[in-house]
Amino acid sequence: MADNKEVKSLLDAGVHFGHLTRKWNPNMAPYIYMERNGIHIINLYKTAAKLDEANEALKKIAASGRKILFVATKKQAKDIVSEKATEAKMPYITERWPGGMLTNFVTIRRAVKKMASIDRMKQDGTFNTLSKKERLQVDRLRAKLEKNLGSISDMSRLPGALFIVDTTREHIAVKEAQKLNIPIFAMVDTNSDPREIDFPIPSNDDASKSIEKILSKVSEAVIEGLAERKAGKEKSEEEKAAKKAKKEAKAKKAEKKEVPSKDKEDKKAMKEAKKPVKLESKEETLEKATKEEE
């Protein structure tokens, strides 16, 4: 059962407001509480439960070291997503979704490398050797690439998951993720189809206050996952250091052991010492003692 305090905070943020009843998707029926003034009201207890479920999964993905790509191109979500994704150190898309972003990832990486090569040109002075017109063209290309792909410049491989605000608007991103079997987490309003999403969070995806509330919870979960990963790394490093110290101590102990002498006389003496000693019998000892007395 969801915590009443958590449900109240979602209520205060307006997460419960859905779309007009005539715009609803029948597949959202399990998450709708009631209808009021021609608007569907979302069941916040189910929202809280689904949010907790999604956060647990996101935490595990972040702890595994995989990236989570945040996607939101609608005006009221852009700034919130870029802020929260930056806090969680995750890539994000807030401009137009580049077609083939996932399914044609090699080409996207090529464009990111092009951006990096322009930066190198500016650093090594090659940029200054170009004509004024060429410099202007390169600057425009760099600005365009930065606008569309700047936030994913550190994403060297496909993301471990997608978090989407408004799946109806970002339907291309949904289709590409489905094709590559990438888990999809999303804020799903009453006009969307939750069956397409692996971890749907029924919520108002139009109000900035509602988006900020959900994204805050999600980014906290991702940050926790990253902290767990960091703690695990530190622990493994400590274990490695302890094993190394133990190995060094063992090696030093072995060095302290007596090293056999290389001197010929010492070797001969050692050989003689190792020869088996013949023990005398009682009669032989007594006989020997009698002879010595005489």
Side-chain angles (χ1 to χ4, degrees), residues 63-117:
S64 71
R66 301 296 300 276
K67 295 284 185 184
I68 298 155
L69 179 63
F70 287 77
V71 184
T73 59
K74 56 167 51 178
K75 190 179 177 182
Q76 58 269 47
K78 280 184 181 183
D79 294 338
I80 298 164
V81 167
S82 61
E83 182 192 338
K84 299 299 177 184
T86 306
E87 281 177 14
K89 297 177 182 177
M90 291 295 166
Y92 58 91
I93 295 287
T94 52
E95 296 302 323
R96 183 185 66 84
W97 174 266
M101 167 72 201
L102 301 176
T103 51
N104 197 12
F105 190 67
V106 176
T107 305
I108 299 296
R109 281 300 303 164
R110 206 174 290 144
V112 172
K113 284 177 183 176
K114 177 70 179 173
M115 192 165 62
S117 69

Side-chain angles (χ1 to χ4, degrees), residues 58-68 85-90 219-233:
L58 285 166
K59 197 190 290 184
K60 286 178 184 176
I61 292 168
S64 71
R66 301 296 300 276
K67 295 284 185 184
I68 298 155
T86 306
E87 281 177 14
K89 297 177 182 177
M90 291 295 166
S219 62
E220 281 172 18
V222 173
I223 291 165
E224 278 179 34
L226 291 172
E228 282 179 16
R229 178 174 171 77
K230 191 179 178 183
K233 270 188 175 180

Side-chain angles (χ1 to χ4, degrees), residues 1-281:
M1 186 87 178
D3 184 11
N4 287 330
K5 194 176 179 182
E6 187 182 351
V7 170
K8 192 177 184 307
S9 69
L10 293 172
L11 184 71
D12 293 339
V15 177
H16 59 295
F17 290 117
H19 278 268
L20 294 168
T21 52
R22 60 186 170 83
K23 289 184 178 181
W24 81 312
N25 188 310
N27 294 305
M28 279 296 290
Y31 304 111
I32 293 171
Y33 177 65
M34 64 180 291
E35 177 195 331
R36 183 182 291 171
N37 300 328
I39 294 172
H40 276 130
I41 304 298
I42 295 165
N43 188 331
L44 290 182
Y45 283 96
K46 290 191 176 181
T47 299
K50 285 289 182 182
L51 181 59
D52 290 342
E53 186 185 325
N55 284 347
E56 280 301 314
L58 285 166
K59 197 190 290 184
K60 286 178 184 176
I61 292 168
S64 71
R66 301 296 300 276
K67 295 284 185 184
I68 298 155
L69 179 63
F70 287 77
V71 184
T73 59
K74 56 167 51 178
K75 190 179 177 182
Q76 58 269 47
K78 280 184 181 183
D79 294 338
I80 298 164
V81 167
S82 61
E83 182 192 338
K84 299 299 177 184
T86 306
E87 281 177 14
K89 297 177 182 177
M90 291 295 166
Y92 58 91
I93 295 287
T94 52
E95 296 302 323
R96 183 185 66 84
W97 174 266
M101 167 72 201
L102 301 176
T103 51
N104 197 12
F105 190 67
V106 176
T107 305
I108 299 296
R109 281 300 303 164
R110 206 174 290 144
V112 172
K113 284 177 183 176
K114 177 70 179 173
M115 192 165 62
S117 69
I118 293 169
D119 291 338
R120 281 197 298 273
M121 282 171 64
K122 288 185 176 182
Q123 286 173 2
D124 60 22
T126 313
F127 182 76
N128 296 325
T129 62
L130 302 173
S131 66
K132 189 177 179 182
K133 187 180 179 181
E134 286 173 329
R135 285 203 301 269
L136 191 63
Q137 287 174 339
V138 169
D139 276 333
R140 282 175 181 166
L141 176 62
R142 176 70 178 78
K144 187 181 177 182
L145 291 169
E146 177 64 37
K147 186 180 179 182
N148 294 323
L149 306 170
S151 61
I152 61 162
S153 55
D154 297 330
M155 198 171 76
S156 57
R157 58 175 178 165
L158 286 169
L162 253 67
F163 188 93
I164 300 172
V165 178
D166 195 345
T167 54
T168 305
R169 186 185 178 96
E170 315 300 342
H171 63 278
I172 300 171
V174 172
K175 294 295 178 190
E176 287 192 30
Q178 284 175 337
K179 196 172 183 180
L180 297 170
N181 293 321
I182 296 172
I184 306 169
F185 298 75
M187 290 179 69
V188 181
D189 213 328
T190 56
N191 66 330
S192 304
D193 188 353
R195 295 176 303 172
E196 297 178 343
I197 313 303
D198 299 293
F199 294 89
I201 303 168
S203 51
N204 178 2
D205 63 10
D206 291 314
S208 55
K209 202 174 177 183
S210 171
I211 295 166
E212 187 171 9
K213 182 67 183 175
I214 299 295
L215 262 294
S216 296
K217 296 279 185 184
V218 166
S219 62
E220 281 172 18
V222 173
I223 291 165
E224 278 179 34
L226 291 172
E228 282 179 16
R229 178 174 171 77
K230 191 179 178 183
K233 270 188 175 180
E234 287 173 358
K235 192 178 179 182
S236 63
E237 282 174 9
E238 283 175 10
E239 285 173 358
K240 281 181 184 177
K243 280 182 182 178
K244 192 178 177 183
K246 196 177 179 181
K247 198 175 180 181
E248 286 174 357
K250 198 175 180 181
K252 282 181 182 177
K253 196 176 179 182
E255 283 175 12
K256 284 180 181 178
K257 284 183 179 179
E258 190 178 343
V259 180
S261 175
K262 291 182 180 179
D263 188 69
K264 285 183 180 179
E265 292 297 323
D266 287 343
K267 281 184 177 181
K268 193 177 179 182
M270 286 292 289
K271 198 174 181 181
E272 288 293 327
K274 285 178 181 178
K275 280 183 180 179
V277 179
K278 188 183 177 184
L279 295 171
E280 295 176 345
S281 64

